[in-house]
Amino acid sequence: MQVSLNWLNEYVDLQGLKPEDIGAAFTAIGLEVEGIDKQSAFTGDVLVGKVLTASRHPNADTLQLCSVDVGKEVPLNIVCGAPNARAGLHVVVATVGATLPGDFKIKKSKIRGELSEGMLCSEKELNLSESHDGIIELKGEPVLGSDAAAALGIGDTVLSLNVTPNRADCLGMIGLARDLAAKLKRTLKEPQTGDLRRDAKLHTENHLKINVSDAQGCLRFVGLYIDGVATVPAPAWMQKRLTAAGLRPINLLVDATNYAMLEYSQPIHAYDARNVGGGVLEVRDAREGETLVTLDGQTRLLQVGDLLICDDKGPIGLAGIMGGASSEIRPDTSAILIEVAAFAGSRIRRTSKRLGLRSEASYRFERGVDVDNLATVAWRVAQLIADGLSSGSGATGSTASPRVAADLVDVYPAEVSKKVIAVRVSHTKQVLGLSSLTRSDVIDALTSLEFELLDGTDDRLVFEVPFFRGDIEREIDLVEEIGRLRGFDKIPYQLPVMNIKPTPEDPFISFQESARTAMAALGLRETVSFPFVSLRDIEALRLTPEHAYFPKLTLANPLSDQHRHMQTSLVPGLLRAVYDNRRRSEFGTRLFECGRGYFNFGADKSSLEPAFKGLARPGRHYSPRAKAEAERPSERQWLAAVLDQPYQEKTWQTPSVNTSFYHGKATLLGLLRDFGLADMAQWAVINPEHYPFLHPGAAASVTLNGKLAGFVGELHPASAAALDLLTAEGAPVIIEVDLEILFDAQSKAQRSAVSVKRFPAITRDIAFLLPKHKTHADVLAAVKGFKRKQNLTGCELFDVYTGDKLPAGMKSMAYRFAFQSPDRTLTDQEVEPELEALTSSLNQSLEASQR
């Protein structure tokens, strides 16, 4: 926000303060100053001077030779034609090198043979007025050689403030002045409208009727009628202040509303009274298909939820955002209706965002306005218009005689109560670390910000919060206000006494990171997508509203329709990524993602299929209280992957290999094997009703310790076709597992062994002679039961042989055993004893002898 210090000075006395001091004070109270711009109407030295002598020019009857002291060692000789130039007069002197408005540069010259080293300025030459009858006569005893702009009060300094979204009141000059006055312990000076002349015979209610049909969208609506106005330029001082604040002056009637808005942070709109049909202003919800031409000339298509201002013919304004072109102020406007209202910020934000239409009004309504101050603002607008017209408005010479109605029309459907909050002095001292803080300090700080003390004890004080501080909601907010005014720099630099023992990290976090590393090691790339899903994707996956995976949680204010529902599975996001990759001619991608699925089954979960009961379990990160809430939505920690077609592209050396179910199962087995879970996994054919998006003949579910852990399979051809992912090679293969079930399935010993494989494994190949009735499963069971296992991590069958060269009833099975340590590289001396013990164990349990 752009803040003119000349303007701000009207509400709080800034005398004796430098712009840098004011900026530091604003920053100290949480209103960061991003820049200080010192502005001037001219460049170079335009100084305060004093005429020492004034004598007649020897070669001209109308000119005078003046000797002028500008605070330098030698007075300046200046030729002047002003009739009021005389000795002892304090004047404005433009010295050589200065540039005045209109790019008028001052040069040393000779006038009628006499040297002139500058110019004594009139008001016209400084663009202060049209008067050029004589030079400016400065009052008092200004300092010679000082800046003339400061003496004239025409120089200004503009601060650029970064106002945080919670401080809606500081989008107005009075709100800023209130905070600054409280910080500097100075008096706040608010505009007074008591001297406004009101016509006792003119009543607003005879010219305006207000109907609020949507009380949720409009908390209060105030209207005022003013007759006898004219569309003339605003006074120069008003135009300069609006320009300094970043607004373009238009005319007095519009500028007065903008000026009051910048004072009070309260948007105002003025209607041409003759173009408000029936003298009616109605606030209502838009009807589907209605249109409105706004002030910018654009036709806006409206929908239900948009808040409108209507007359008896239809919409004439988009409430809180922009007025309609049909009722705008015109050059011949002679009577106006002033609207000052409090609209619901959420409604304004939603419409503004949908239409892509932002305005100064919507910016303020979105953050909140002071519902208690609307009448004051309306009278202030009337005062600005009346004063502007009575002053003649500069060069226009308007003779309009405004008549302001004696009363307002004020519709307040449901009066809003002020918040009441208690603050403890002891708690404030503890939070701020200010042991010297007293009860009176607390009261003084909050009352200076216009919080009203209602009641209190020695320690507990009860305050009523003013409406313009909508950001104050609880005790800690009041503590922050006290800290702002006392100064956060006053808080002592003292480290608190604390236990430096670190909080142990949840082992599940490390488990997730290990799962990510394992998937990356298997050749997949991690992706991250939004946790939202569209109904189009859900329908493509053939999920019905009754299915457990159908999303039940929706966003109240989504970014788009594609982001309306919270995801239950990571699969749709991964399939969208595959689709996007294919559009860029990237085929065969292998992606994975870790994220959450969000479910809401309500309090009654009896209708859930037994296979999906686990989806209703609360997450491991839930607090005991959250777990006890039956209706709380549940979250599952998923790891999902997708393998696109083809698995291997055709080259001159190798044929093309299509991605199949077995590639997906191998990937999932690789993940389970890294966590020591491959042997306990139980595989089963899927129920097509449970997974309608999977190919019923090429999919399987996996169970760990009796709990459904996930699935792997080819995408159903119908789903693939609906998502435009079906090719001649087939459909992508998808995987999804519940990480919490994998985590719970590990024993403590396994968890300590599961990590990134930082050190290489040592392998040994051994062929065994076994009876023909012994199977690979028997060998695996014997290896699993090996009691002296220390570093053994893998057992893989790579050859089976039967033939005449072997003893009768025997067969040969060759195995590759892997030995690996998580903290070092093993040596042969460490591996051989364990291998010999394993061979001996298999010999005893399986009658297996080494070939």
Side-chain angles (χ1 to χ4, degrees):
M1 181 175 175
Q2 304 299 106
V3 180
S4 162
L5 294 190
N6 283 351
W7 192 356
L8 187 64
N9 190 58
E10 286 201 1
Y11 312 110
V12 57
D13 184 9
L14 302 178
Q15 186 175 1
L17 295 173
K18 297 178 181 179
E20 292 76 12
D21 298 333
I22 298 170
F26 271 129
T27 301
I29 56 178
L31 299 167
E32 181 186 1
V33 176
E34 297 179 327
I36 299 177
D37 181 19
K38 296 181 180 180
Q39 301 176 346
S40 177
F42 33 77
T43 58
D45 287 339
V46 180
L47 308 174
V48 173
K50 182 178 182 180
V51 179
L52 301 178
T53 61
S55 58
R56 182 178 171 182
H57 193 292
N59 301 319
D61 293 339
T62 59
L63 300 178
Q64 296 189 74
L65 296 178
C66 299
S67 176
V68 183
D69 183 2
V70 292
K72 298 181 179 179
E73 293 181 1
V74 180
L76 301 178
N77 294 318
I78 298 176
V79 177
C80 177
N84 63 331
R86 61 188 184 275
L89 186 67
H90 286 88
V91 293
V92 176
V93 183
T95 62
V96 174
T99 302
L100 301 183
D103 199 28
F104 180 43
K105 297 180 180 179
I106 305 301
K107 300 177 182 179
K108 184 184 292 188
S109 62
K110 281 191 175 183
I111 302 176
R112 296 289 185 93
E114 296 293 333
L115 181 66
S116 183
E117 300 175 301
M119 185 175 73
L120 305 184
C121 302
S122 68
E123 290 187 359
K124 183 176 182 179
E125 287 151 350
L126 297 182
N127 203 23
L128 300 179
S129 73
E130 294 300 312
S131 174
H132 57 91
D133 295 335
I135 59 177
I136 298 172
E137 299 184 14
L138 297 175
K139 306 298 182 183
E141 294 290 334
V143 178
L144 299 182
S146 63
D147 186 7
L152 292 168
I154 59 173
D156 197 4
T157 300
V158 176
L159 305 183
S160 296
L161 262 62
N162 179 13
V163 180
T164 53
N166 64 312
R167 291 305 306 274
D169 59 310
C170 288
L171 293 174
M173 300 294 293
I174 294 175
L176 292 170
R178 181 185 296 111
D179 268 31
L180 187 61
K183 177 64 176 177
L184 301 177
K185 295 187 174 11
R186 301 194 178 190
T187 304
L188 177 66
K189 302 175 290 184
E190 295 193 47
Q192 302 299 316
T193 59
D195 58 348
L196 175 65
R197 293 183 58 185
R198 308 176 192 177
D199 192 331
K201 296 181 180 180
L202 187 64
H203 299 281
T204 300
E205 62 183 11
N206 295 333
H207 300 271
L208 174 64
K209 292 181 176 58
I210 297 174
N211 298 322
V212 178
S213 303
D214 190 340
Q216 297 298 318
C218 179
L219 304 179
R220 188 181 181 186
F221 197 112
V222 170
L224 175 63
Y225 179 76
I226 307 176
D227 196 3
V229 299
T231 308
V232 298
W237 62 266
M238 184 182 293
Q239 294 189 40
K240 289 178 181 178
R241 289 180 178 179
L242 290 176
T243 302
L247 296 184
R248 178 175 59 89
I250 299 175
N251 58 62
L252 174 62
L253 305 183
V254 175
D255 292 352
T257 62
N258 287 335
Y259 190 90
M261 175 188 71
L262 291 174
E263 279 190 316
Y264 291 95
S265 186
Q266 169 63 57
I268 306 127
H269 190 68
Y271 300 89
D272 189 326
R274 62 187 171 175
N275 294 323
V276 177
V280 174
L281 291 178
E282 180 186 8
V283 184
R284 66 167 173 83
D285 197 6
R287 303 185 182 103
E288 202 68 39
E290 279 188 303
T291 60
L292 171 68
V293 180
T294 47
L295 287 172
D296 57 1
Q298 300 295 315
T299 300
R300 310 287 179 178
L301 180 62
L302 309 174
Q303 66 181 33
V304 174
D306 297 337
L307 203 60
L308 296 181
I309 307 296
C310 305
D311 61 8
D312 63 356
K313 298 175 184 177
I316 61 172
L318 200 53
I321 302 175
M322 187 174 287
S326 63
S327 60
E328 68 176 324
I329 302 298
R330 291 178 168 80
D332 58 345
T333 297
S334 60
I336 60 173
L337 295 171
I338 301 297
E339 165 205 302
V340 188
F343 299 116
S346 58
R347 296 281 293 277
I348 303 303
R349 184 185 304 110
R350 190 177 302 118
T351 300
S352 174
K353 186 174 182 179
R354 182 181 65 80
L355 295 176
L357 181 60
R358 301 296 300 274
S359 64
E360 290 285 345
S362 67
Y363 185 76
R364 285 165 171 78
F365 277 123
E366 288 174 15
R367 286 155 177 75
V369 297
D370 184 358
V371 71
D372 202 34
N373 204 41
L374 305 189
T376 301
V377 176
W379 292 124
R380 176 59 171 163
V381 175
Q383 182 187 50
L384 291 170
I385 293 174
D387 290 349
L389 290 172
S390 64
S391 68
S393 294
T396 64
S398 171
T399 58
S401 179
R403 298 169 59 225
V404 180
D407 48 25
L408 305 163
V409 174
D410 188 352
V411 177
Y412 203 167
E415 191 165 340
V416 183
S417 300
K418 292 182 179 180
K419 288 178 283 191
V420 175
I421 301 176
V423 62
R424 292 162 291 166
V425 178
S426 58
H427 181 63
T428 305
K429 292 167 66 174
Q430 180 183 9
V431 171
L432 298 179
L434 299 174
S435 57
S436 61
L437 191 71
T438 65
R439 182 178 185 271
S440 349
D441 292 334
V442 173
I443 295 173
D444 291 345
L446 294 178
T447 53
S448 68
L449 293 171
E450 299 186 18
F451 291 83
E452 184 180 350
L453 179 63
L454 300 180
D455 194 9
T457 62
D458 289 342
D459 185 55
R460 186 174 181 272
L461 303 170
V462 181
F463 288 91
E464 185 178 66
V465 181
F467 281 119
F468 58 78
R469 291 305 303 272
D471 59 311
I472 304 298
E473 297 180 347
R474 48 187 180 160
E475 181 184 18
I476 195 64
D477 295 329
L478 295 181
V479 173
E480 181 184 4
E481 294 301 298
I482 298 164
R484 283 197 313 125
L485 295 188
R486 294 283 294 185
F488 291 121
D489 57 329
K490 301 290 178 59
I491 296 176
Y493 290 94
Q494 182 178 353
L495 290 175
V497 178
M498 64 177 69
N499 185 354
I500 62 173
K501 182 179 179 180
T503 302
E505 185 178 69
D506 186 345
F508 184 72
I509 296 176
S510 298
F511 178 82
Q512 281 182 304
E513 291 302 315
S514 296
R516 287 187 170 97
T517 304
M519 294 299 285
L522 290 168
L524 283 78
R525 294 187 176 183
E526 185 174 10
T527 184
V528 178
S529 55
F530 287 117
F532 312 116
V533 66
S534 68
L535 280 181
R536 174 186 173 277
D537 293 338
I538 293 300
E539 291 169 356
L541 293 178
R542 308 170 72 222
L543 295 173
T544 62
E546 296 77 24
H547 196 279
Y549 275 87
F550 194 89
K552 301 295 194 302
L553 294 172
T554 59
L555 300 184
N557 188 25
L559 295 173
S560 67
D561 286 338
Q562 300 298 316
H563 297 156
R564 185 172 296 278
H565 304 277
M566 298 297 292
Q567 68 185 10
T568 55
S569 168
L570 305 182
V571 168
L574 289 172
L575 293 178
R576 283 197 301 272
V578 169
Y579 175 78
D580 290 339
N581 281 349
R582 286 190 180 182
R583 288 180 60 193
R584 294 164 176 81
S585 300
E586 291 287 339
F587 293 86
T589 53
R590 304 172 194 175
L591 306 174
F592 78 94
E593 181 177 5
C594 287
R596 292 180 180 178
Y598 303 87
F599 299 87
N600 186 19
F601 300 112
D604 184 13
K605 301 176 178 60
S606 58
S607 60
L608 269 178
E609 292 276 350
F612 296 132
K613 291 289 186 182
L615 300 178
R617 292 195 308 271
R620 59 178 288 107
H621 60 283
Y622 279 28
S623 66
R625 178 180 175 182
K627 291 179 180 179
E629 296 176 3
E631 297 185 359
R632 177 178 285 270
S634 59
E635 300 177 12
R636 305 308 303 165
Q637 294 282 353
W638 296 127
L639 185 150
V642 60
L643 309 180
D644 191 20
Q645 297 286 356
Y647 191 80
Q648 177 179 294
E649 293 187 4
K650 180 181 179 181
T651 67
W652 67 274
Q653 200 173 18
T654 58
S656 173
V657 177
N658 296 337
T659 306
S660 69
F661 160 76
Y662 296 102
H663 292 109
K665 183 178 180 182
T667 300
L668 182 52
L669 272 172
L671 174 68
L672 296 175
R673 189 177 296 112
D674 275 353
F675 291 106
L677 302 174
D679 295 340
M680 67 173 64
Q682 296 180 338
W683 303 87
V685 177
I686 62 162
N687 183 337
E689 294 182 359
H690 292 170
Y691 301 102
F693 48 87
L694 293 178
H695 192 304
S701 63
V702 59
T703 303
L704 295 172
N705 293 334
K707 295 180 180 179
L708 181 64
F711 61 81
V712 56
E714 296 178 13
L715 188 63
H716 196 287
S719 296
L723 294 170
D724 199 17
L725 294 176
L726 188 62
T727 64
E729 293 86 356
V733 172
I734 54 178
I735 304 167
E736 188 165 66
V737 292
D738 190 326
L739 284 179
E740 292 190 24
I741 290 180
L742 267 63
F743 178 76
D744 293 337
Q746 289 184 281
S747 65
K748 292 182 180 180
Q750 286 174 321
R751 286 180 192 171
S752 63
V754 173
S755 63
V756 180
K757 297 175 180 178
R758 296 184 177 88
F759 300 94
I762 293 179
T763 59
R764 292 289 187 268
D765 296 345
I766 299 180
F768 294 98
L769 278 176
L770 298 98
K772 282 189 176 181
H773 66 273
K774 296 294 182 180
T775 64
H776 174 57
D778 294 332
V779 176
L780 290 180
V783 171
K784 187 176 181 181
F786 176 48
K787 296 181 180 180
R788 294 177 60 184
K789 180 167 61 175
Q790 293 179 337
N791 298 307
L792 179 65
T793 57
C795 172
E796 181 182 356
L797 175 69
F798 66 87
D799 182 63
V800 176
Y801 172 73
T802 56
D804 298 339
K805 296 182 180 180
L806 297 179
M810 303 295 284
K811 64 180 178 179
S812 173
M813 299 179 71
Y815 283 88
R816 176 169 293 129
F817 297 103
F819 300 86
Q820 190 173 20
S821 171
D823 54 13
R824 68 188 186 281
T825 300
L826 296 175
T827 63
D828 291 342
Q829 289 77 11
E830 292 175 297
V831 172
E832 292 303 329
E834 187 172 353
L835 180 62
E836 291 177 5
L838 174 63
T839 304
S840 175
S841 174
L842 295 178
N843 188 10
Q844 294 178 7
S845 59
L846 298 175
E847 302 177 16
S849 60
Q850 185 174 350
R851 289 184 64 189

